[in-house]
Amino acid sequence: MIILNSVDEFRQRYHTAKKWRRCAEAIANLPLLKPGVCHSIGDSLVYRLVDGNVAAAPCFTGNRRYVEIHYYLSGSESIAYAAKPALARLSPYSDETDRETFSGEATTRHTAGAGQLLVFDNDYAYQPQGSDHLRKMVLMVTIEGATFHNK
């Protein structure tokens, strides 16, 4: 997991590929978003706004085809995470949801707050610990190195 402290830090670090620039474009759309509605830009990005109480996840979640980014707008959330090989697989990978679930002990925890972005790469699984009131943007970015030339 990569922890970034601002959108500016995100833009500085991830400015080379079109899919990362699309993340910045999605973040710019934030004032127009309604909670729970999924949006996409091109073939490489799906995003949505989460606003409200968020329950603790019962297990760790990992992805294979997408990098998941959480951009925290208000509130805070504790996240437990660990390398996938250190965890026990609970369910097989689903190509339909790009999810696999795990159980085990977290190797690290981080409490994310307003302004931070957490980038969950494919080598780790994460487990949100819940929040009484949270407002965050969740972005799912394809791991492929390039997008289709016509998008």
Side-chain angles (χ1 to χ4, degrees):
M1 182 176 82
I2 298 167
I3 301 166
L4 304 170
N5 291 310
S6 69
V7 172
D8 287 339
E9 187 178 344
F10 175 83
R11 285 185 183 122
Q12 289 171 2
R13 185 170 181 159
Y14 298 103
H15 65 278
T16 56
K18 188 175 192 177
K19 65 184 179 182
W20 300 116
R21 291 190 302 272
R22 285 180 171 165
C23 289
E25 182 182 337
I27 290 169
N29 288 338
L30 197 53
L32 305 174
L33 301 183
K34 294 182 180 177
V37 178
C38 289
H39 301 271
S40 67
I41 299 176
D43 61 323
S44 58
L45 174 67
V46 177
Y47 62 99
R48 64 187 165 83
L49 179 65
V50 174
D51 191 4
N53 295 337
V54 178
C59 56
F60 289 85
T61 300
N63 305 90
R64 290 189 186 177
R65 288 192 332 248
Y66 289 88
V67 171
E68 192 163 330
I69 301 169
H70 294 200
Y71 172 36
Y72 291 85
L73 305 166
S74 65
S76 64
E77 180 178 44
S78 180
I79 302 285
Y81 59 101
K84 288 179 186 179
L87 300 169
R89 188 177 317 276
L90 288 175
S91 64
Y93 173 75
S94 168
D95 191 47
E96 292 177 1
T97 63
D98 187 43
R99 296 269 194 266
E100 53 192 334
T101 58
F102 301 88
S103 65
E105 295 297 319
T107 55
T108 311
R109 295 181 189 277
H110 176 76
T111 299
Q116 286 192 320
L117 293 93
L118 303 184
V119 181
F120 301 102
D121 64 23
N122 299 104
D123 296 327
Y124 286 82
Y126 66 93
Q127 183 181 31
Q129 304 297 295
S131 179
D132 288 338
H133 184 78
L134 184 63
R135 186 171 168 85
K136 71 179 178 179
M137 183 178 208
V138 177
L139 302 101
M140 303 291 290
V141 184
T142 185
I143 62 166
E144 283 79 24
T147 59
F148 296 109
H149 64 84
N150 64 342
K151 300 287 180 172

